[in-house]
Amino acid sequence: MVENRTSDQVLRDLLYLACPDAHPVDRKTATDAIDTAVSQGRRLDPAEIPALVNGLLPGPVYGMLDADMTDAGLRGADLAQVNLVGADLSRADLRDANLSGADLTSADLTHADLSRADLDSARLCSALLVGARMAGANLNRADLTDAGLTGADLDGVNLSSADLHNARLHNANLDGAYLRDADLTAADMGTVSLARADAGGANLVGTHLVGAYLVRAELSRARLMGANLTNAVLCAADLTGADLTRAQLFATDLTAADLTGAIGIAPASLSGVRWSSDTNWPDALLHMELLSISEDLGNGLYRVPGPGGARAVNPDRTPFA
C-alpha cells in the first residue's frame, strides 16, 4: 500500500534502496531521525537530508539512482556530488540548491525550478530540462551534451566553458547568459533569445541559429563555421574576429553589427542580409562592394539583393523607422 504516505516515509524507503550495503547501525540512525520528524508532524528540512545520507555511505559520493522525486521540495538543499542518474525530478523545487559536481545524467528535470542553483561541473548529459526555470543558475563547466532544454528559461545563467554539444535549446531564453568559451557545436538554437549574451570565444560550429535573437550579443572570436544564421537578428552584435566560414547568413539582420576582423564572409553568402551605414564590415573593399549592389531602404539602411529578410529591429525589439 502506498497511498497516504508522507514524503518523509518515501524518503526513508529511498535511503534503504539507495544504500543497501550501509551498516545497520548507520542506517537505523538515519531512519530514526526521519521517523522522529514524522512523529513530530513536521516536514524534514532539506538541509537535514545530506547529513542523513552521508551517514549511510562509506565515501563522499552518495546517490539515489533512478529515484522518483517528482515535485520534491529541495529548495536550498546541499546535494553536492550526489548521484541522481536517471532520477525523476520533474517539477522539483531546487531553487538555490547546491548540485555542484552532481551526476544528473539522463535525469528528468522537466519544468523543474533550478533558479540560482549551483550546478558547477555537474553532469547533465541527455538530461531533460524542457521548460525548466534556471534563471541565475551556475552551470560553469557543466556537461550538457545532448541535453533537452527546449523552452527553458536560462536568463543570466553562467555557462562558461560548459559543454552543450548537440544540446536542444530551441526557443530557450538565454538573455544575458554568460557562454564564454562554451561548446555549442551542432546545438539546436532555433529561435533562441540571446540578447546581451556573452558568447565570446564560444564554439558554435554547425550550430542551428535560424531565427535566433542576438541583439547586442557578444560573439567576438566566436567560431561560427557552418552555422545556420538564416533570419537571425544580430543588430548591434559584436562579431569582431569571428570565423563565419561557410556560415549561412541568408536574410540575417546585421544592422549596426561590428564585424571588424571577422573572416569567411563573402558577398555570395549575404543574400537578403540587412545592414546599415554603421555596420562595420571586415574591410573597406567588401563594404564598397555591398554598397554598390545593395538596395537603399533609406535612413541609412540597406538590403543585399535576395528574397525575404527579417525586419530590422532596434535593440529594444521595436522596428526601425
Side-chain angles (χ1 to χ4, degrees), residues 157-162 164 169 174-185 189 192-205 207 209 212-224 229 234 237-243:
V157 298
N158 178 11
L159 282 159
S160 175
S161 300
L164 290 126
L169 289 143
L174 283 147
D175 289 347
Y178 190 76
L179 292 144
R180 191 163 284 268
D181 298 318
D183 186 355
L184 291 143
T185 304
M189 301 182 77
V192 72
S193 185
L194 281 154
R196 305 176 308 282
D198 185 349
N203 187 350
L204 292 149
V205 176
T207 301
L209 286 155
Y213 188 81
L214 293 138
V215 169
R216 296 195 184 281
E218 167 65 57
L219 292 159
S220 59
R221 301 179 298 99
R223 285 160 288 171
L224 286 150
L229 288 152
L234 287 143
D238 184 352
L239 288 148
T240 56
D243 190 342

Side-chain angles (χ1 to χ4, degrees), residues 44-321:
L44 197 67
D45 190 323
E48 299 178 65
I49 295 173
L52 298 178
V53 180
N54 276 327
L56 296 170
L57 296 173
V61 179
Y62 54 94
M64 295 182 188
L65 187 68
D66 293 318
D68 185 351
M69 303 176 77
T70 307
D71 296 303
L74 295 164
R75 183 173 185 176
D78 185 357
L79 298 167
Q81 304 296 323
V82 70
N83 180 359
L84 284 163
V85 173
D88 188 348
L89 286 152
S90 54
R91 300 185 304 279
D93 183 357
L94 288 156
R95 286 174 291 172
D96 304 298
N98 179 12
L99 286 154
S100 58
D103 193 345
L104 289 145
T105 299
S106 299
D108 187 351
L109 290 144
T110 302
H111 296 297
D113 193 343
L114 290 145
S115 301
R116 301 176 303 280
D118 186 0
L119 289 143
D120 188 288
S121 302
R123 283 182 56 81
L124 290 143
C125 307
S126 300
L128 284 178
L129 292 140
V130 176
R133 297 182 295 281
M134 304 178 75
N138 177 25
L139 288 147
N140 179 52
R141 298 190 304 274
D143 188 347
L144 289 140
T145 305
D146 296 307
L149 291 143
T150 300
D153 182 6
L154 295 151
D155 188 280
V157 298
N158 178 11
L159 282 159
S160 175
S161 300
D163 189 348
L164 290 126
H165 189 100
N166 284 327
R168 299 176 300 283
L169 289 143
H170 188 83
N171 208 35
N173 174 27
L174 283 147
D175 289 347
Y178 190 76
L179 292 144
R180 191 163 284 268
D181 298 318
D183 186 355
L184 291 143
T185 304
D188 180 2
M189 301 182 77
T191 66
V192 72
S193 185
L194 281 154
R196 305 176 308 282
D198 185 349
N203 187 350
L204 292 149
V205 176
T207 301
H208 181 84
L209 286 155
V210 174
Y213 188 81
L214 293 138
V215 169
R216 296 195 184 281
E218 167 65 57
L219 292 159
S220 59
R221 301 179 298 99
R223 285 160 288 171
L224 286 150
M225 297 86 82
N228 190 344
L229 288 152
T230 299
N231 276 315
V233 179
L234 287 143
C235 297
D238 184 352
L239 288 148
T240 56
D243 190 342
L244 290 151
T245 303
R246 299 183 306 281
Q248 299 178 52
L249 295 163
F250 174 72
T252 302
D253 190 345
L254 292 169
T255 304
D258 189 353
L259 293 116
T260 305
I263 61 174
I265 303 174
S269 68
L270 298 172
S271 176
V273 164
R274 285 179 179 265
W275 59 285
S276 61
S277 56
D278 50 355
T279 297
N280 292 321
W281 296 104
D283 58 72
L285 185 62
L286 177 60
H287 184 191
M288 293 303 296
E289 185 172 355
L290 290 173
L291 193 61
S292 68
I293 63 174
S294 296
E295 176 188 0
D296 189 342
L297 302 175
N299 298 316
L301 299 175
Y302 302 91
R303 187 173 71 86
V304 180
R311 191 180 183 191
V313 297
N314 278 318
D316 63 356
R317 295 185 183 239
T318 59
F320 276 111

Side-chain angles (χ1 to χ4, degrees), residues 35-51:
D35 287 336
T36 299
V38 173
S39 66
Q40 293 174 352
R42 66 181 178 85
R43 293 180 62 85
L44 197 67
D45 190 323
E48 299 178 65
I49 295 173

